[in-house]
Amino acid sequence: MSITITIIIVSAAILILFGLAALQKKGVSFNRIVLLGLALGITFGIVTQIIWGTKNQSVLQAVDWINIVGNGYLALLQVLVAPLILISIIAAFTKLNTNKNFLKITLNVLLVLLGTTAIAALIGILSVSLFHLKGTSFINHAANSDTLAVLNQKQSTLTEQTVPQKIVSFLPKNIFADLSASRVTSTIAIVIFSFFVGLAYLQLRKENTKLANSFAYGIDVIDGIITKLVRIIISLTPYGIFSLMTKTVAISSLKTITSLGIFIITVYFALVLVLVVHTVLLILNHINPIIYYQKVWPALIFAFTSRSSAGVLPLNIDIQKNQLGVNPGIADFSASFGLSIGQNGCAGVYPAILAAISATLSGTNILSLQFVITLVAVVTVASFGVAGSGGGATFASLIVLGTLNLPLSIMALVIAVDPIVDMGRTLVNVNDSIIAGLLTAKHNHLLDTKVLAESQSKSPLIID
């Protein structure tokens, strides 16, 4: 009987996937198919859970088979991340026609990323206070001892390093090892290495224009190949989203979600407020937020379902350049920097909320000026080097809690619902990196306003 149930679920999923493919073949808008894939994934997951529950072995086996598509899609995207970061940042240098605004552009991107992270941390603290979310309210929920032990082990590894040692760990020691993501800080190491290669190119351009032009041409060729490869893989987005969302909904325990419901509500409330801040920034810079969100929502939806900022990188860059009119160099900078610096969701809101809840266990007034300033500062600094894929929020939270000498018991408890809150966190991360690129381009007069004002292409990401 168990095999029969598995076959039924998998067969139904295959039929849905073929249906999406048929619609795509008929020329239905790519974005509509993405949205349909999301809706079908949620619906299919709910139906599966209602009929068979979340612990049914047949359901787990079926989800495992279905996610050949979802996990396979993520794997294809993730294999592109390291080379895409490397080439994108180097290409950002080769595409800038002048060196005059280079430092200003870099500082603008970092200012938006880190500034909004500080604001996100503040919002996290205020949200905990608003919802009266105190550590004592979780006492009735026992944290898993094994989970707590693992977290303590990870934190002890992180705290063994002094601050100078942590800074040194960001630097690339073996770029080939970092390209294979061998370290937690591999992403920022690639960013730093690429940055230095770009600086070397600028020096070469001053001394030997011919060699510099040859190098730029080679980078342009590689960038073109990667772009085509990205478009091929992105065309699979509707199928990946359907599979990933089916898995998330089908196996997420409603009982666990309900028991920690107030925590989930608090996190999402804070994340929504961060999006409101992003929207206010758009309005203050005279950018129509309606047009903006109409163009970027495919990236945000994929971020929500995939829970991987790194996986969204190709789509992020593509939308910035082709839909928003951001200068290619700036788009490459902001999208790549946003993977490892100043993630508003994973490195801003989440660590601040966990720290604020944990601080209440010792009777700390989390609204005191000293606590707020200290926590916002620690969160902002700790946002450097956060991985753009799974585990980034855990990494950032461990650093923040360890720095402030706060217990990990709350973190061990809420990790049960981490996949649910991680979807929202990732969406906010990606939106912030896009905002950073758009505002930087506007401030440096490198924004194609005609492209920004144009209505969205019907199929901006489908291969010609």
Side-chain angles (χ1 to χ4, degrees):
M1 179 65 181
S2 60
I3 297 178
T4 304
I5 294 174
T6 301
I7 292 174
I8 291 172
I9 296 173
V10 173
S11 298
I14 291 173
L15 288 174
I16 292 173
L17 289 171
F18 271 109
L20 290 172
L23 291 174
Q24 192 171 24
K25 190 174 181 180
K26 288 183 177 180
V28 176
S29 166
F30 176 80
N31 293 335
R32 289 181 180 178
I33 298 177
V34 168
L35 190 58
L36 180 60
L38 174 66
L40 289 173
I42 294 173
T43 304
F44 190 62
I46 291 173
V47 170
T48 301
Q49 183 170 156
I50 290 174
I51 297 177
W52 293 290
T54 59
K55 301 297 182 181
N56 189 299
Q57 195 61 36
S58 299
V59 173
L60 296 177
Q61 289 177 352
V63 167
D64 199 27
W65 279 100
I66 293 170
N67 262 274
I68 290 177
V69 178
N71 293 333
Y73 175 59
L74 278 180
L76 289 173
L77 279 174
Q78 288 169 350
V79 78
L80 289 175
V81 171
L84 189 57
I85 293 174
L86 181 70
I87 298 301
S88 292
I89 293 181
I90 296 173
F93 284 87
T94 63
K95 291 171 184 175
L96 290 175
N97 297 323
T98 176
N99 299 342
K100 294 180 180 179
N101 293 331
F102 169 71
L103 180 59
K104 183 181 178 183
I105 288 171
T106 304
L107 291 177
N108 279 173
V109 171
L110 292 178
L111 179 62
V112 176
L113 292 174
L114 295 177
T116 51
T117 297
I119 294 172
L122 179 60
I123 288 174
I125 298 170
L126 295 176
S127 297
V128 171
S129 176
L130 180 65
F131 284 89
H132 305 289
L133 198 58
K134 298 181 179 180
T136 52
S137 65
F138 288 94
I139 295 300
N140 294 329
H141 303 287
N144 185 290
S145 58
D146 292 335
T147 301
L148 187 58
V150 171
L151 291 174
N152 278 314
Q153 183 179 7
K154 286 184 178 181
Q155 189 184 60
S156 63
T157 302
L158 290 172
T159 54
E160 284 175 2
Q161 293 182 315
T162 63
V163 174
Q165 289 173 336
K166 289 176 182 177
I167 293 173
V168 172
S169 72
F170 293 154
L171 301 176
K173 296 178 181 178
N174 182 335
I175 190 59
F176 298 103
D178 285 323
L179 286 170
S180 64
S182 62
R183 302 186 296 156
V184 175
T185 55
S186 284
T187 302
I188 196 169
I190 297 172
V191 170
I192 293 172
F193 177 79
S194 307
F195 199 81
F196 276 103
V197 172
L199 291 176
Y201 163 77
L202 294 180
Q203 290 295 320
L204 181 63
R205 190 164 68 180
K206 291 180 181 178
E207 299 167 4
N208 192 323
T209 305
K210 185 177 180 181
L211 279 180
N213 289 340
S214 297
F215 177 80
Y217 178 76
I219 291 296
D220 193 43
V221 170
I222 299 174
D223 188 40
I225 292 295
I226 290 180
T227 298
K228 289 297 182 184
L229 186 58
V230 164
R231 286 175 175 270
I232 292 172
I233 296 173
I234 286 179
S235 66
L236 303 174
T237 298
Y239 319 108
I241 283 180
F242 165 76
S243 301
L244 292 167
M245 188 51 71
T246 295
K247 175 184 177 181
T248 300
V249 176
I251 66 176
S252 295
S253 171
L254 292 178
K255 182 179 179 181
T256 302
I257 294 172
T258 303
S259 65
L260 293 172
I262 188 64
F263 172 78
I264 297 172
I265 292 171
T266 302
V267 174
Y268 270 93
F269 175 80
L271 292 173
V272 169
L273 284 186
V274 174
L275 289 176
V276 171
V277 170
H278 293 174
T279 304
V280 170
L281 287 174
L282 291 173
I283 295 171
L284 291 176
N285 285 275
H286 307 290
I287 296 171
N288 189 326
I290 296 176
I291 293 176
Y292 170 82
Y293 285 110
Q294 282 177 342
K295 293 191 172 188
V296 305
W297 72 262
L300 301 185
I301 285 180
F302 179 60
F304 186 81
T305 52
S306 68
R307 297 167 48 209
S308 171
S309 299
V312 189
L313 180 63
L315 189 55
N316 182 334
I317 294 174
D318 191 284
I319 285 177
Q320 284 197 55
K321 292 191 294 188
N322 299 320
Q323 292 295 323
L324 300 178
V326 174
N327 173 274
I330 294 176
D332 292 335
F333 267 132
S334 64
S336 300
F337 281 1
L339 285 183
S340 55
I341 299 173
Q343 293 190 346
N344 286 188
C346 289
V349 166
Y350 195 67
I353 285 179
L354 290 181
I357 295 173
S358 298
T360 60
L361 288 171
S362 59
T364 301
N365 177 11
I366 62 173
L367 294 182
S368 68
L369 187 61
Q370 181 181 357
F371 179 81
V372 170
I373 292 176
T374 301
L375 181 53
V376 170
V378 169
V379 166
T380 304
V381 173
S383 70
F384 279 86
V386 176
S389 52
T394 300
F395 176 73
S397 299
L398 288 174
I399 292 176
V400 171
L401 293 174
T403 303
L404 298 175
N405 294 317
L406 293 171
L408 300 181
S409 53
I410 300 299
M411 186 176 176
L413 173 65
V414 301
I415 205 167
V417 293
D418 191 70
I420 302 299
V421 296
D422 192 35
M423 293 189 294
R425 291 189 316 231
T426 309
L427 182 152
V428 170
N429 294 343
V430 171
N431 196 57
D432 186 51
S433 68
I434 298 175
I435 292 284
L438 181 58
L439 298 188
T440 299
K442 191 174 192 306
H443 290 168
N444 289 275
H445 308 291
L446 292 170
L447 178 66
D448 190 333
T449 53
K450 290 183 179 179
V451 173
L452 179 61
E454 288 174 355
S455 60
Q456 188 180 38
S457 304
K458 290 184 178 180
S459 304
L461 304 172
I462 301 299
I463 311 162
D464 295 332

